[in-house]
Amino acid sequence: MENGAKKWGFQGKQGLDAASATNVRGYFNLLTGNINQDNSSVVVPLGHGDPSHFPSIRTTPAAEDAIVDALRSAKHNCYATTVGILPARRAIADYLNRDLSYKLTPDDVYLTIGCNQAIEVVTAVLSRPGANIFLPRPGYPHYEPWCAYNHLEMRHYDLLPEKGWEVDVDAVETLADENTAAMVIINPGKPCWNVCSYEHLNKVAETARKLGILVIADEAYDNLTFGSTPYVPMRVFGLTLPILTMGSISKRWVVPGWRLWWLVTSDPNGLLQKSGIIDSITGFLNISSDPATFIQAAIPQILENTKEDFF
């Protein structure tokens, strides 16, 4: 008996601490927690990704004006629809349609609170009993904790340094079985910063189609590329197989703290609707949170008014 109670009926969820410790923030908190506070030495943040710490890195005034206009209009102090407000989804669909031979609609676009929630949605939706998913190695370590949390088996495929960090397509075929649901491809790559060619992405798409699996395209750094290999979005292969694209204004507009991300279904053949994936995404967002409404409302103006010279 403790504090007058026979037995307390609450306890922490086992495994959650372990899952959260293996992502970027978990490692960062581990490192900062072990800094000797009595040491006067200057800590140099070699992995800083926050533009607010660097005054010379600013977003375009067009984006700032869009936020101010949306806020001062007093029209966006309300709750948003769970999948995102229609003007923002329409603007994003139009923005992404520039690269496509088929057309996305607003119904193909879902808005989330940053990359982390988009990954949470995808892993939750795919985590049927026994299912597995392919993750790149090296890769972005936010996928592993969400897979662990959702009991979605992880199978890692290698990126080949001798081939410019291309996907080891042969290994992907070897890893697959009847329970494989999807594979994640990060392009432009993180952490290797490679850019996949059209020919290589086409090979990945054909392999995934043959295996009957979904491709999840993490394109956080879309169009932020240098060198001779042109950036190609994975959604151009939407007629070959279903693609789930994750992207945002965070990196290209240098505003990660605005927490506006999109999850887009590129599936003109309607396979995601037939399989129930669309209903599952909508169902998840119905019980989850959504980005701030005034940030969503600013999206059409941001996409329309940003000039190419800013990029």
Side-chain angles (χ1 to χ4, degrees), residues 174-194:
T174 303
L175 287 170
D177 62 21
E178 67 277 4
N179 291 318
T180 303
M183 68 177 292
V184 173
I185 183 166
I186 305 175
N187 182 52
K190 184 176 183 178
C192 302
W193 306 118
N194 56 302

Side-chain angles (χ1 to χ4, degrees), residues 131-154:
N132 64 73
I133 186 173
F134 296 163
L135 304 177
R137 182 174 53 198
Y140 179 57
H142 256 324
Y143 289 91
E144 282 82 356
W146 278 117
C147 287
Y149 184 75
N150 286 303
H151 306 290
L152 180 59
E153 181 190 345
M154 296 167 272

Side-chain angles (χ1 to χ4, degrees), residues 94-102 222-223 231 233 235-236:
D94 291 342
Y95 171 70
L96 299 179
N97 277 335
R98 301 173 188 177
D99 304 304
L100 300 178
S101 60
Y102 61 94
D222 68 316
N223 291 295
Y231 166 69
R235 60 185 172 273
V236 303

Side-chain angles (χ1 to χ4, degrees), residues 10 232 243 305:
F10 52 82
V232 177
I243 309 289
N305 294 348

Side-chain angles (χ1 to χ4, degrees), residues 12-21 145-146 149:
K13 183 173 181 178
Q14 293 182 353
L16 186 55
D17 289 345
S20 66
W146 278 117
Y149 184 75

Side-chain angles (χ1 to χ4, degrees), residues 94-116:
D94 291 342
Y95 171 70
L96 299 179
N97 277 335
R98 301 173 188 177
D99 304 304
L100 300 178
S101 60
Y102 61 94
K103 295 301 179 185
L104 298 168
T105 73
D107 290 338
D108 297 314
V109 180
Y110 307 85
L111 302 185
T112 67
I113 309 172
C115 169
N116 202 13

